[in-house]
Amino acid sequence: MAIERTFSMIKPDATKRNITGKIISKFEDAGLRIVAQKRVHWNKEQAGEFYAVHKERPFYGELVDFMISGPIVMQVLEGEDAVAANRKIMGATNPEDADAGTIRKEFAESLEANSVHGSDSPENAALEIAMCFDESEIVG
């Protein structure tokens, strides 16, 4: 197993309900360290750029609108196999399919408002981290 970094985001549905601390605890309790973190409110251009991979999909506009509906918390998490660990902690994208004890099972409101986003591969983690953080903001 290797120490790696992954990107994590707490979405507007969770920040609006003031449950960011509960979500962050899940990552830390599972052994991941937060090496960068900031709370921002994206505009349409920023959200559109981040989710550009979905631009041709029918849900793209709704996704962008949702992501600009409130603040988000962006994080870089570090730990043993951080990408896989983060995905396990988050649970399945659809909260109905998520395992008990996962963030999405406990906190998601719906498939869209599922409280968190996490990189799905080390390659995407590197891209998402670079898109959202300057290297000087990551303090290991």
Side-chain angles (χ1 to χ4, degrees):
M1 292 192 188
I3 298 292
E4 64 184 10
R5 290 179 175 168
T6 191
F7 179 79
S8 167
M9 181 193 312
I10 301 174
K11 295 181 178 181
D13 62 294
T15 63
K16 285 178 183 174
R17 290 179 287 142
N18 201 32
I19 58 172
T20 57
K22 291 177 182 178
I23 291 171
I24 289 166
S25 290
K26 293 265 192 192
F27 298 124
E28 291 179 328
D29 290 349
L32 294 174
R33 280 182 9 153
I34 299 167
V35 295
Q37 182 181 69
K38 58 186 167 182
R39 184 181 182 100
V40 301
H41 196 148
W42 270 347
N43 61 37
K44 202 166 210 148
E45 182 180 323
Q46 291 166 311
E49 181 183 339
F50 188 84
Y51 286 104
V53 66
H54 299 303
K55 194 166 192 156
E56 301 305 318
R57 298 217 169 137
F59 60 82
Y60 174 76
E62 290 176 14
L63 175 61
V64 169
D65 288 343
F66 169 66
M67 293 306 297
I68 66 172
S69 69
I72 59 173
V73 176
M74 299 185 296
Q75 306 176 114
V76 178
L77 305 176
E78 183 178 82
E80 292 280 337
D81 293 319
V83 172
N86 181 37
R87 298 202 59 81
K88 183 176 181 181
I89 296 161
M90 289 189 309
T93 302
N94 186 338
E96 292 180 12
D97 300 331
D99 290 338
T102 62
I103 291 169
R104 289 178 173 147
K105 189 61 152 188
E106 289 187 23
F107 302 118
E109 295 179 311
S110 66
L111 178 60
E112 179 185 76
N114 65 10
S115 299
V116 288
H117 162 87
S119 303
D120 61 1
S121 70
E123 297 77 21
N124 282 339
L127 291 171
E128 291 173 344
I129 290 168
M131 188 180 296
C132 297
F133 288 92
D134 292 329
E135 192 61 38
S136 65
E137 296 176 297
I138 303 171
V139 182

